[in-house]
Protein backbone atom coordinates (compact mmCIF):
# COMPACT_ATOMS: atom_id res chain seq x y z
CA UNK A 1 0.00 0.00 0.00
CA UNK A 2 1.01 3.62 -0.41
CA UNK A 3 2.48 4.75 2.88
CA UNK A 4 1.20 8.04 4.28
CA UNK A 5 4.44 9.27 5.75
CA UNK A 6 5.83 12.79 5.62
CA UNK A 7 9.52 12.90 6.53
CA UNK A 8 11.03 16.40 6.58
CA UNK A 9 13.09 17.60 3.64
CA UNK A 10 16.03 18.28 5.95
CA UNK A 11 17.35 16.46 9.01
CA UNK A 12 18.47 12.87 9.53
CA UNK A 13 15.94 10.10 8.95
CA UNK A 14 16.35 6.76 10.75
CA UNK A 15 14.79 3.57 9.43
CA UNK A 16 14.47 0.58 11.76
CA UNK A 17 14.00 -2.88 10.28
CA UNK A 18 14.61 -1.67 6.73
CA UNK A 19 15.30 -5.22 5.54
CA UNK A 20 15.25 -5.71 1.77
CA UNK A 21 13.35 -2.50 0.96
CA UNK A 22 14.71 0.64 2.65
CA UNK A 23 12.85 3.87 2.08
CA UNK A 24 14.66 6.21 -0.36
CA UNK A 25 14.51 9.07 2.18
CA UNK A 26 16.23 7.16 4.99
CA UNK A 27 19.75 8.28 5.92
CA UNK A 28 20.62 5.62 8.51
CA UNK A 29 19.41 2.00 8.57
CA UNK A 30 19.10 -0.24 11.63
CA UNK A 31 18.54 -3.98 11.70
CA UNK A 32 19.05 -6.50 14.46
CA UNK A 33 20.25 -9.36 12.28
CA UNK A 34 22.72 -9.61 9.43
CA UNK A 35 23.20 -12.53 7.07
CA UNK A 36 20.94 -14.43 4.72
CA UNK A 37 18.24 -15.56 7.16
CA UNK A 38 15.21 -14.08 5.41
CA UNK A 39 12.43 -15.81 7.32
CA UNK A 40 11.23 -12.43 8.55
CA UNK A 41 12.17 -10.43 5.43
CA UNK A 42 10.88 -10.24 1.88
CA UNK A 43 14.38 -10.71 0.44
CA UNK A 44 18.08 -10.18 1.04
CA UNK A 45 19.16 -7.40 3.38
CA UNK A 46 20.02 -4.16 1.54
CA UNK A 47 23.01 -2.22 2.88
CA UNK A 48 23.43 0.75 0.56
CA UNK A 49 23.92 3.59 3.09
CA UNK A 50 25.08 3.97 6.74
CA UNK A 51 23.95 0.81 8.53
CA UNK A 52 23.93 0.00 12.25
CA UNK A 53 23.39 -3.44 13.79
CA UNK A 54 21.38 -2.80 16.94
CA UNK A 55 18.47 -3.88 19.10
CA UNK A 56 15.64 -1.38 18.64
CA UNK A 57 14.74 -1.71 22.33
CA UNK A 58 18.08 0.00 23.13
CA UNK A 59 19.13 2.23 20.25
CA UNK A 60 22.81 3.34 20.29
CA UNK A 61 22.04 6.98 19.49
CA UNK A 62 21.98 10.17 21.53
CA UNK A 63 18.74 11.85 22.56
CA UNK A 64 17.11 13.71 19.68
CA UNK A 65 19.61 12.45 17.09
CA UNK A 66 17.04 12.13 14.30
CA UNK A 67 14.38 14.37 12.82
CA UNK A 68 12.21 11.42 11.79
CA UNK A 69 12.01 7.62 12.02
CA UNK A 70 10.43 5.07 9.70
CA UNK A 71 9.30 1.77 11.21
CA UNK A 72 7.45 -0.31 8.64
CA UNK A 73 6.31 -3.78 9.68
CA UNK A 74 8.50 -3.86 12.79
CA UNK A 75 6.26 -3.09 15.80
CA UNK A 76 4.58 -6.51 15.60
CA UNK A 77 8.01 -8.17 16.04
CA UNK A 78 9.03 -6.36 19.23
CA UNK A 79 9.59 -8.23 22.50
CA UNK A 80 8.61 -5.09 24.45
CA UNK A 81 6.58 -2.65 22.28
CA UNK A 82 6.31 -0.03 25.02
CA UNK A 83 10.08 0.09 25.50
CA UNK A 84 10.50 0.34 21.75
CA UNK A 85 8.16 3.36 21.72
CA UNK A 86 10.17 4.99 24.51
CA UNK A 87 13.34 4.62 22.45
CA UNK A 88 11.67 6.18 19.40
CA UNK A 89 10.50 9.16 21.44
CA UNK A 90 13.97 9.53 22.98
CA UNK A 91 15.96 9.50 19.75
CA UNK A 92 13.55 10.97 17.18
CA UNK A 93 11.50 14.16 16.94
CA UNK A 94 8.78 12.48 14.89
CA UNK A 95 8.15 9.32 12.93
CA UNK A 96 5.94 6.86 11.12
CA UNK A 97 4.84 3.35 12.13
CA UNK A 98 3.07 0.88 9.88
CA UNK A 99 1.98 -2.65 10.79
CA UNK A 100 -0.45 -5.28 9.54
CA UNK A 101 -3.80 -4.89 11.25
CA UNK A 102 -5.28 -7.57 13.46
CA UNK A 103 -7.64 -8.51 10.61
CA UNK A 104 -4.72 -9.02 8.21
CA UNK A 105 -2.77 -10.91 10.85
CA UNK A 106 -5.62 -13.34 11.46
CA UNK A 107 -6.03 -14.02 7.73
CA UNK A 108 -2.36 -14.30 6.78
CA UNK A 109 -1.04 -15.39 10.19
CA UNK A 110 2.65 -14.61 9.88
CA UNK A 111 4.03 -17.06 12.44
CA UNK A 112 7.07 -14.90 13.29
CA UNK A 113 4.95 -11.96 14.49
CA UNK A 114 4.31 -11.65 18.22
CA UNK A 115 1.38 -9.22 18.36
CA UNK A 116 -1.95 -8.22 16.87
CA UNK A 117 -1.88 -4.45 16.24
CA UNK A 118 -4.85 -2.05 16.18
CA UNK A 119 -5.18 1.73 16.15
CA UNK A 120 -7.70 2.97 18.71
CA UNK A 121 -8.02 6.71 18.37
CA UNK A 122 -4.38 7.77 18.22
CA UNK A 123 -3.09 4.89 20.39
CA UNK A 124 -1.42 1.78 18.97
CA UNK A 125 -2.99 -1.09 20.92
CA UNK A 126 -1.33 -4.52 20.88
CA UNK A 127 -2.35 -7.86 22.33
CA UNK A 128 -0.64 -11.28 22.08
CA UNK A 129 -1.15 -13.43 19.02
CA UNK A 130 -2.84 -16.81 19.17
CA UNK A 131 -0.98 -19.89 17.88
CA UNK A 132 -3.77 -21.07 15.55
CA UNK A 133 -3.20 -20.78 11.80
CA UNK A 134 -6.62 -21.68 10.32
CA UNK A 135 -6.01 -20.70 6.68
CA UNK A 136 -2.40 -21.75 6.18
CA UNK A 137 -0.93 -19.70 3.30
CA UNK A 138 -4.22 -19.37 1.41
CA UNK A 139 -4.41 -15.58 1.67
CA UNK A 140 -0.73 -15.15 0.77
CA UNK A 141 -1.46 -16.92 -2.51
CA UNK A 142 -4.69 -14.98 -3.08
CA UNK A 143 -2.81 -11.71 -2.61
CA UNK A 144 0.04 -12.73 -4.91
CA UNK A 145 -1.85 -14.47 -7.71
CA UNK A 146 -5.50 -13.31 -7.73
CA UNK A 147 -6.04 -9.75 -9.05
CA UNK A 148 -9.62 -9.65 -7.74
CA UNK A 149 -8.54 -10.37 -4.18
CA UNK A 150 -5.56 -8.01 -4.50
CA UNK A 151 -7.97 -5.26 -5.61
CA UNK A 152 -10.30 -5.95 -2.68
CA UNK A 153 -7.51 -5.70 -0.15
CA UNK A 154 -5.94 -2.62 -1.74
CA UNK A 155 -9.34 -0.89 -1.94
CA UNK A 156 -9.77 -1.10 1.85
CA UNK A 157 -6.31 -0.40 3.31
CA UNK A 158 -7.79 0.73 6.63
CA UNK A 159 -8.89 -2.87 7.28
CA UNK A 160 -5.54 -4.46 6.56
CA UNK A 161 -2.89 -1.97 7.65
CA UNK A 162 -2.34 0.24 10.66
CA UNK A 163 -0.55 3.56 10.17
CA UNK A 164 0.45 6.16 12.75
CA UNK A 165 2.50 9.27 12.12
CA UNK A 166 3.57 10.83 15.41
CA UNK A 167 5.28 14.01 16.58
CA UNK A 168 7.05 14.76 19.84
CA UNK A 169 5.55 12.93 22.80
CA UNK A 170 2.26 11.91 21.17
CA UNK A 171 3.43 8.37 20.28
CA UNK A 172 1.27 6.15 22.47
CA UNK A 173 1.63 2.35 22.57
CA UNK A 174 -0.45 0.17 24.89
CA UNK A 175 -0.36 -3.58 25.50
CA UNK A 176 -3.63 -5.28 26.45
CA UNK A 177 -4.76 -8.84 27.08
CA UNK A 178 -7.65 -8.85 24.58
CA UNK A 179 -8.62 -7.41 21.20
CA UNK A 180 -10.24 -3.95 21.08
CA UNK A 181 -12.03 -4.73 17.78
CA UNK A 182 -15.83 -4.18 18.05
CA UNK A 183 -16.73 -7.26 16.02
CA UNK A 184 -20.18 -7.66 17.64
CA UNK A 185 -21.27 -4.03 17.14
CA UNK A 186 -23.32 -3.63 13.91
CA UNK A 187 -22.82 0.13 13.71
CA UNK A 188 -19.06 -0.18 14.21
CA UNK A 189 -18.87 -2.98 11.63
CA UNK A 190 -20.74 -0.91 9.04
CA UNK A 191 -18.23 1.89 9.56
CA UNK A 192 -15.28 -0.52 9.30
CA UNK A 193 -16.40 -1.86 5.90
CA UNK A 194 -17.53 1.48 4.44
CA UNK A 195 -15.64 2.21 1.18
CA UNK A 196 -13.16 5.06 1.58
CA UNK A 197 -12.82 5.75 -2.17
CA UNK A 198 -15.31 7.02 -4.73
CA UNK A 199 -16.05 5.31 -8.08
CA UNK A 200 -13.07 6.88 -9.86
CA UNK A 201 -10.71 5.93 -7.04
CA UNK A 202 -11.98 2.35 -7.07
CA UNK A 203 -11.59 2.18 -10.86
CA UNK A 204 -8.01 3.43 -10.62
CA UNK A 205 -7.29 0.87 -7.88
CA UNK A 206 -8.73 -1.92 -10.02
CA UNK A 207 -6.58 -0.97 -13.02
CA UNK A 208 -3.51 -0.74 -10.77
CA UNK A 209 -4.31 -4.16 -9.27
CA UNK A 210 -4.50 -5.78 -12.70
CA UNK A 211 -1.26 -4.13 -13.80
CA UNK A 212 0.61 -4.92 -10.57
CA UNK A 213 -0.31 -8.60 -10.62
CA UNK A 214 1.20 -8.94 -14.09
CA UNK A 215 4.60 -8.76 -12.39
CA UNK A 216 5.94 -11.23 -9.85
CA UNK A 217 7.76 -10.26 -6.66
CA UNK A 218 11.28 -9.93 -8.12
CA UNK A 219 10.03 -7.74 -10.98
CA UNK A 220 8.11 -5.47 -8.60
CA UNK A 221 11.22 -5.14 -6.43
CA UNK A 222 13.23 -4.03 -9.47
CA UNK A 223 10.53 -1.52 -10.46
CA UNK A 224 10.54 -0.06 -6.94
CA UNK A 225 14.29 0.49 -7.11
CA UNK A 226 14.13 2.05 -10.58
CA UNK A 227 11.34 4.42 -9.51
CA UNK A 228 12.88 5.17 -6.10
CA UNK A 229 9.71 4.08 -4.33
CA UNK A 230 9.18 1.83 -1.33
CA UNK A 231 6.02 0.24 -2.71
CA UNK A 232 4.59 -1.08 -6.02
Amino acid sequence: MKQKLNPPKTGLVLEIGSGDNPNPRSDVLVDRFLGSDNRERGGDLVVDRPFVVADAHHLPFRDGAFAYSICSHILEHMDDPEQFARELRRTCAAGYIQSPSEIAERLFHWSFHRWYVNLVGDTLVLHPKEPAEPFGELFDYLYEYNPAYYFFQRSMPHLFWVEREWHGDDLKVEVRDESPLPLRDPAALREMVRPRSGPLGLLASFIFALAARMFRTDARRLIRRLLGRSYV
Side-chain angles (χ1 to χ4, degrees):
M1 67 171 288
K2 183 176 181 179
Q3 297 176 318
K4 300 174 183 177
L5 70 167
N6 299 283
K9 293 182 179 180
T10 60
L12 287 175
V13 174
L14 171 69
E15 183 166 3
I16 301 174
S18 53
D20 67 309
N21 186 28
N23 189 284
R25 176 62 182 87
S26 302
D27 298 298
V28 178
L29 308 179
V30 167
D31 209 300
R32 189 175 182 179
F33 301 107
L34 291 173
S36 58
D37 184 351
N38 291 325
R39 286 174 295 178
E40 300 186 22
R41 300 187 186 118
D44 292 336
L45 186 68
V46 172
V47 183
D48 60 356
R49 66 203 79 172
F51 186 96
V52 178
V53 178
D55 182 347
H57 297 89
H58 306 284
L59 292 168
F61 306 116
R62 62 176 174 80
D63 294 0
F66 297 95
Y68 198 85
S69 63
I70 299 172
C71 304
S72 182
H73 291 238
I74 187 69
L75 179 62
E76 66 274 12
H77 294 262
M78 292 292 105
D79 296 332
D80 186 342
E82 292 171 325
Q83 169 62 21
F84 173 54
R86 285 191 288 271
E87 280 294 272
L88 290 180
R89 289 192 297 264
R90 181 184 68 80
T91 57
C92 306
Y96 169 85
I97 293 175
Q98 183 193 59
S99 290
S101 70
E102 179 177 350
I103 291 171
E105 196 73 60
R106 288 186 180 277
L107 293 178
F108 290 86
H109 198 87
W110 295 282
S111 60
F112 42 82
H113 293 171
R114 295 176 176 270
W115 306 93
Y116 296 120
V117 182
N118 290 283
L119 185 63
V120 180
D122 60 358
T123 301
L124 291 161
V125 177
L126 294 81
H127 67 286
K129 277 187 61 178
E130 300 166 358
E133 191 171 350
F135 301 113
E137 295 185 354
L138 171 63
F139 284 89
D140 295 276
Y141 278 78
L142 281 170
Y143 187 80
E144 182 67 22
Y145 296 106
N146 189 308
Y149 178 81
Y150 180 81
F151 164 68
F152 160 70
Q153 184 163 326
R154 289 278 169 156
S155 71
M156 305 189 76
H158 61 285
L159 281 185
F160 294 94
W161 291 278
V162 170
E163 293 184 287
R164 175 77 167 92
E165 189 169 55
W166 58 275
H167 301 85
D169 293 329
D170 72 353
L171 174 58
K172 292 181 282 187
V173 173
E174 179 182 328
V175 175
R176 299 184 185 176
D177 293 328
E178 298 179 348
S179 173
L181 286 178
L183 297 180
R184 304 251 189 284
D185 182 340
L189 288 170
R190 283 194 295 271
E191 177 59 24
M192 286 172 63
V193 302
R194 177 179 61 82
R196 301 306 199 261
S197 299
L200 290 178
L202 290 173
L203 178 60
S205 295
F206 182 68
I207 294 171
F208 176 82
L210 289 176
R213 293 303 93 175
M214 292 173 61
F215 301 98
R216 296 276 68 86
T217 302
D218 290 342
R220 293 199 301 274
R221 186 177 296 119
L222 176 61
I223 293 171
R224 284 199 303 264
R225 291 178 181 173
L226 291 175
L227 296 178
R229 300 171 69 172
S230 58
Y231 66 92
V232 168

